[in-house]
Amino acid sequence: MKIVADLHLHSKYSRAVSQQMDLPYMAEWAQKKGIDLLGTGDFTHPLWFRELEAKLKETAPGIYTLQSPAVPGLQAVKFVLSCEISSIYSQGGRLRRIHNLILAPGLETVRKINHELAKKGANLLSDGRPIVGLSSIQLAELVWSVGPECLIVPCHAWTPWFSLYGSKSGFDSIEECFGSFIDKIYAIETGLSSDPGMNWRIKELENRSILSFFDAHSP
């Protein structure tokens, strides 16, 4: 079965994002564009999480639809719980800036992740894409300790800043970035800095999925 999915996008609670980026409008434009499955984005933000609880219903394990869409047919658009987290930290004598996409299997798992991030001092109200001082290894440990079924995908992996392979603040390998969690990183996101063909020239990516999402800030 073919599914058209965009799993990396942002809500109206992220910086520099259209105030139209709410669930109904996102679903409406996904339907117009032929997108079957959307990431919710920003599940760490308390106000957005409240909207996710109020406006979504689970129709299959980990899959959500709008509770009562005003526009007919929007229930055909499915959602999966997602967020992007920005980690800024020091490792190996260098400042690292990494963005990671997290996909979660349910609202209760998201609630636990948010609770643990808040315990670590993350200001989740500050932005839909929170900035944390946790390394990618520490973030992976936190996420998988409360949600073993979660997925972590390094975002826009070749962007010079804020990425796994970024020349300005990244790493030279997945293992250097994620340590012992290397075998749980099943995919990377291309972003605008590369395409799948370029990525598959890297040996450690030969057996990993190459994903390309919009990182949308407006409909």
Side-chain angles (χ1 to χ4, degrees), residues 16-205:
V17 172
S18 167
Q19 289 302 294
Q20 292 180 314
M21 288 293 277
D22 60 19
L23 292 169
Y25 209 57
M26 288 157 63
E28 182 178 347
W29 277 92
Q31 186 181 58
K32 290 177 181 179
K33 296 177 181 182
I35 299 173
D36 308 305
L37 180 67
L38 281 179
T40 61
D42 298 355
F43 68 50
T44 54
H45 196 281
L47 299 181
W48 187 237
F49 181 70
R50 187 184 302 170
E51 291 195 31
L52 300 182
E53 287 186 302
K55 296 181 179 180
L56 295 180
K57 62 179 179 181
E58 192 171 25
T59 55
I63 303 297
Y64 293 80
T65 61
L66 292 174
Q67 293 240 24
S68 52
V71 178
L74 291 190
Q75 284 179 315
V77 178
K78 307 296 193 297
F79 288 89
V80 63
L81 302 167
S82 69
C83 76
E84 181 184 21
I85 291 181
S86 176
S87 289
I88 300 178
Y89 58 100
S90 178
Q91 182 175 327
R94 290 182 57 196
L95 182 65
R96 313 290 181 165
R97 296 180 174 92
I98 310 292
H99 286 183
N100 287 302
L101 178 70
I102 300 174
L103 304 174
L107 287 168
E108 189 54 38
T109 298
V110 167
R111 191 190 311 277
K112 292 176 181 178
I113 291 172
N114 293 350
H115 177 70
E116 291 302 317
L117 286 171
K119 282 174 57 178
K120 296 291 185 181
N123 182 0
L124 301 184
L125 264 173
S126 65
D127 190 39
R129 182 186 61 203
I131 298 173
V132 301
L134 302 175
S135 70
S136 293
I137 294 172
Q138 292 169 325
L139 179 63
E141 185 175 31
L142 182 154
V143 168
W144 282 319
S145 68
V146 298
E149 295 179 334
C150 290
L151 296 175
I152 296 179
V153 179
C155 298
H156 37 72
W158 293 94
T159 304
W161 298 99
F162 298 103
S163 71
L164 168 63
Y165 293 131
S167 61
K168 303 297 185 182
S169 61
F171 295 91
D172 292 327
S173 70
I174 295 174
E175 184 173 17
E176 188 183 5
C177 184
F178 285 95
S180 60
F181 295 110
I182 181 174
D183 291 336
K184 298 190 72 174
I185 304 300
Y186 304 124
I188 67 162
E189 182 191 31
T190 62
L192 298 176
S193 305
S194 66
D195 62 22
M198 291 172 63
N199 281 278
W200 279 315
R201 296 175 67 182
I202 307 300
K203 187 167 183 60
E204 69 176 359
L205 300 181

